[in-house]
Amino acid sequence: ELDVVAAQVIAEASQAAGASRLRLDPGHASGVVVDGDADLLAVALHNLVGNALRHAPAGSEITVGIEQGNGEPRLWVADNGPGVPEDELPYLTERFYRGRTTTTEGTGLGLAIVQRIAELHGATLVLENRPEGGLCAALTWRA
């Protein structure tokens, strides 16, 4: 159940980083189930949440959401950070890739790991800038 994985990751990240700005979308779909390894899915979500915590401005809100539309489960993390230059979005899942303007710590492996976990679970990782600012990273499973 994705909401169980999400609640666990949010609790751990909030405790570790003191990230009270991290929340589960109140309109999330509960009881959404996908086939897979809950521990690996937690690693993927930890990486997405960690990226958002590093790149979003201090005090800004980071939301984790779960949806089920047309039988397709979707797990997403949205922040209101600076986003990513459009020409860099396709490269973010390459190992060791770090954007031109990145000033935070990291190895450039987090999104590559998320991409691989998504593939192992029959999901797709989509990274897109939000119109209101920030980035949304979503794992989507096909029905």
Side-chain angles (χ1 to χ4, degrees):
E1 290 187 30
L2 291 178
D3 56 335
V4 172
V5 172
Q8 170 194 338
V9 169
I10 288 170
E12 291 170 2
S14 294
Q15 183 177 16
S20 60
R21 61 192 178 136
L22 188 59
R23 70 179 184 102
L24 185 59
D25 179 44
H28 79 279
S30 60
V32 176
V33 176
V34 296
D35 288 331
D37 183 305
D39 292 333
L40 280 178
L41 291 172
V43 167
L45 187 54
H46 265 290
N47 284 351
L48 295 177
V49 166
N51 278 349
L53 288 169
R54 270 192 305 282
H55 297 289
S60 64
E61 190 169 88
I62 296 160
T63 306
V64 175
I66 302 163
E67 302 169 349
Q68 175 115 11
N70 299 325
E72 294 183 347
R74 185 170 181 258
L75 174 64
W76 52 268
V77 176
D79 67 54
N80 57 357
V84 176
E86 288 293 327
D87 63 328
E88 290 188 27
L89 282 172
Y91 302 103
L92 293 180
T93 58
E94 291 183 7
R95 291 184 302 157
F96 305 111
Y97 182 82
R98 294 188 33 88
R100 293 186 304 269
T101 59
T102 300
T103 59
T104 60
E105 293 183 21
T107 61
L109 286 174
L111 291 175
I113 292 168
V114 174
Q115 176 71 29
R116 183 62 183 137
I117 292 171
E119 290 169 358
L120 290 171
H121 287 83
T124 303
L125 172 63
V126 176
L127 304 168
E128 56 191 6
N129 286 310
R130 300 171 65 206
E132 64 274 19
L135 187 76
C136 182
L139 295 173
T140 303
W141 286 261
R142 296 282 179 238

